[in-house]
Amino acid sequence: MQYVDFGRTGLRVSRLGFGGIPVQRIDEPGTRAMLKAAHEAGINYIDTARAYTVSEEWIGQALEELGLRDEFILATKCRALTKAEMEAELAASLKNLRTDYVDILQLHNIASLPDPQDPDGIHAALEEARKQGKCRFIGITSHRRPVAEAAAKSGLYDTVQFPVSHISPQEDIDLIDLCGKLDVGFIAMKALSGGLITCAQAAYAFFQQIPNAVPIWGIQKKEELQQFLDCAQQGITMTPELQAVIEKDRKELAGNFCRGCGYCMPCREGIQINTIARLPQLLRRSPWQQYMTEEWCKEMEKVENCRRCGA
């Protein structure tokens, strides 16, 4: 297993990260088995979130039962909008994860950076949690590149998490280099574009070219985990054949991946574009039942009212 120096944190993070979204699709015994296999292979980074229903709880239970809490760098995310909400969410996360601290506490998919001078704001809550020892480092995740760039340049955050894959536009990929120059740890979410990319070897080889990126792979089956472990064990690097796969993916898929950034909103017809555009991926990678309700069927029907306005 290869490891990377994670910005200014001093952490040594495995080049394969374990993403917590698909844990919602497994079960408690399956989560335990996956984390045991990940640890045995040298993976030491887990990234989950308060918003991922049972993910924190099952990961926490698995780590406790396996006695592996101290073997992993554990990161989670909060969607709080106030200091009080942040404190409550963090307390819930620590309880679910069965630990008294997380290594990295991140603001979850923020649309703009919070005011660091607001004593009752969420940035103040992050700093207080760090002083209290409830987290070691702080970061942000966002689907909006200007927000991610601003966070990296601010000097206030130890890590930035942003969607990047081999079908991303160059300006997204350049964000990784910016973080490297600023000594900010970079976490690549959606490294398989939410499931659009199907060649693990090509995706792995792409990130092997970027030494300061830590991609997190959403894994819900042992065979998926094994694909990436095989890449690491075989020392997969870029080849003309894999570059051809990437070029084919870019030609066929680039522009079709919705990051959920919300720039398309609001829609004048009331269509929830930024969720509906991602539904194929959401149905495969998160609990599908929530999208099978009568309410969501009505939301989907609104697509028929699209004016093709091009906005």
Side-chain angles (χ1 to χ4, degrees):
M1 182 61 61
Q2 296 178 350
Y3 298 85
V4 60
D5 291 322
F6 203 42
R8 57 175 168 263
T9 66
L11 299 173
R12 291 279 292 169
V13 180
S14 56
R15 293 294 301 274
L16 294 181
F18 187 94
I21 289 181
V23 165
Q24 304 169 95
R25 297 286 292 258
I26 313 174
D27 55 27
E28 293 168 86
T31 302
R32 184 166 57 251
M34 292 275 279
L35 290 180
K36 184 175 186 293
H39 172 255
E40 290 173 350
I43 292 174
N44 73 348
Y45 182 79
I46 299 173
D47 198 287
T48 183
R50 181 83 183 89
Y52 301 162
T53 62
V54 297
S55 179
E56 284 185 336
E57 183 178 352
W58 288 356
I59 288 171
Q61 180 172 320
L63 293 180
E64 183 178 71
E65 292 176 354
L66 294 168
L68 295 177
R69 167 61 188 96
D70 293 336
E71 300 296 314
F72 282 97
I73 296 163
L74 189 55
T76 194
K77 316 176 192 76
C78 292
R79 280 183 169 170
L81 298 177
T82 67
K83 185 177 181 181
E85 288 176 356
M86 173 70 78
E87 291 169 348
E89 284 206 19
L90 177 55
S93 290
L94 295 177
K95 180 180 179 181
N96 286 339
L97 291 165
R98 304 191 183 195
T99 184
D100 55 6
Y101 75 99
V102 291
D103 296 280
I104 305 172
L105 179 60
Q106 304 161 99
L107 301 180
H108 195 169
N109 192 15
I110 55 174
S112 61
L113 293 183
D115 180 1
Q117 304 302 321
D118 181 1
D120 298 315
I122 52 177
H123 185 83
L126 287 178
E127 292 291 0
E128 186 168 316
R130 177 154 54 181
K131 289 177 182 177
Q132 293 174 346
K134 295 179 180 178
C135 70
R136 296 173 64 194
F137 305 101
I138 61 175
I140 68 104
T141 82
S142 183
H143 292 196
R144 303 184 179 210
R145 187 174 60 249
V147 175
E149 289 177 352
K153 293 176 180 177
S154 71
L156 298 173
Y157 301 96
D158 304 305
T159 65
V160 165
Q161 184 172 159
F162 185 74
V164 175
S165 71
H166 66 236
I167 66 171
S168 295
Q170 187 59 46
E171 52 264 37
D172 286 1
I173 298 171
D174 289 344
L175 176 62
I176 306 175
D177 184 57
L178 174 67
C179 287
K181 291 176 179 177
L182 296 172
D183 212 17
V184 174
F186 185 87
I187 306 155
M189 71 165 102
K190 307 291 189 292
L192 291 172
S193 288
L196 284 180
I197 294 170
T198 56
C199 180
Q201 293 83 359
Y204 181 90
F206 170 76
F207 280 104
Q208 284 297 105
Q209 303 174 114
I210 311 174
N212 65 305
V214 175
I216 47 176
W217 312 100
I219 297 166
Q220 60 181 313
K221 300 176 182 176
K222 280 189 176 181
E223 49 266 39
E224 293 176 349
L225 175 62
Q226 192 58 51
Q227 281 185 320
F228 291 108
L229 296 181
D230 287 345
C231 288
Q233 291 161 5
Q234 295 167 16
I236 294 291
T237 56
M238 190 61 68
T239 64
E241 293 77 16
L242 291 176
Q243 187 62 48
V245 171
I246 288 175
E247 293 304 322
K248 183 174 184 290
D249 281 348
R250 285 174 175 166
K251 182 178 180 180
E252 296 179 354
L253 302 175
N256 290 332
F257 172 55
C258 173
R259 293 196 304 227
C261 66
Y263 284 154
C264 57
M265 297 294 285
C267 168
R268 65 182 71 178
E269 296 298 329
I271 301 168
Q272 293 192 39
I273 302 170
N274 55 336
T275 299
I276 288 173
R278 294 183 295 147
L279 270 183
Q281 289 77 36
L282 291 170
L283 290 170
R284 290 198 299 268
R285 310 301 290 179
S286 63
W288 56 266
Q289 293 88 343
Q290 60 188 313
Y291 301 110
M292 295 294 105
T293 62
E294 182 179 349
E295 177 185 0
W296 261 104
C297 286
K298 290 178 179 178
E299 290 297 328
M300 287 298 294
E301 288 171 2
K302 292 179 183 178
V303 174
E304 300 299 326
N305 299 327
C306 177
R307 301 183 187 183
R308 301 286 190 266
C309 68

